[in-house]
Amino acid sequence: MSLKKIYFSILVTSVIVIIASMFTGTKFIPVSLGILKEMIVDWKIFVPAIVCAFAFSRVKYYWLTMLGCSLVASMVVQVFFFSVRAGLYIILLRAFCFLVVVYIIDYLRLIGKRK
């Protein structure tokens, strides 16, 4: 399976899970999406995600590196811009937001790449 197909299947699966959660009445995913919508436009997550996505694009374990960068960036943003005391939920949502931005950048880069 090609990398484009894998990325596309992840995208389709995510959309199906989001739509299914809205129809089944599950509140966790829509509430989390509302919080993510506010976080994704914030430069404090968007800019480090772009920098890390391009800086580590040639690393062997790319997604493992991005996972580490997302957790570190999330904790740094929480400590420097918000209160030191934060729940694990918010830190993990911020890290997930970071990974979503990296995923979008990587998918667009993959689509634009010529064979």
Side-chain angles (χ1 to χ4, degrees):
M1 186 180 248
S2 73
L3 201 54
K4 284 184 185 180
K5 288 182 182 179
I6 292 172
Y7 273 59
F8 184 71
S9 59
I10 290 171
L11 181 66
V12 168
T13 305
S14 302
V15 170
I16 288 171
V17 167
I18 290 168
I19 291 172
S21 71
M22 289 180 184
F23 285 126
T24 59
T26 307
K27 297 294 180 193
F28 175 72
I29 294 176
V31 169
S32 298
L33 286 174
I35 296 170
L36 283 174
K37 185 178 73 172
E38 294 172 9
M39 285 183 184
I40 204 161
V41 295
D42 192 14
W43 67 270
K44 298 171 196 110
I45 289 295
F46 194 79
V47 171
I50 292 173
V51 169
C52 286
F54 286 112
F56 298 114
S57 64
R58 301 287 181 210
V59 174
K60 184 176 181 182
Y61 299 107
Y62 179 74
W63 284 106
L64 191 58
T65 305
M66 289 301 109
L67 180 64
C69 287
S70 69
L71 291 173
V72 169
S74 175
M75 286 186 256
V76 167
V77 165
Q78 184 65 38
V79 168
F80 285 115
F81 295 107
F82 302 106
S83 95
V84 176
R85 289 190 252 169
L88 184 63
Y89 177 69
I90 294 296
I91 290 173
L92 290 178
L93 268 179
R94 195 171 283 121
F96 183 70
C97 182
F98 184 99
L99 290 174
V100 166
V101 172
V102 169
Y103 169 81
I104 291 169
I105 291 169
D106 203 40
Y107 191 41
L108 291 175
R109 187 178 349 157
L110 187 64
I111 290 173
K113 184 190 272 187
R114 296 183 184 205
K115 292 186 176 189

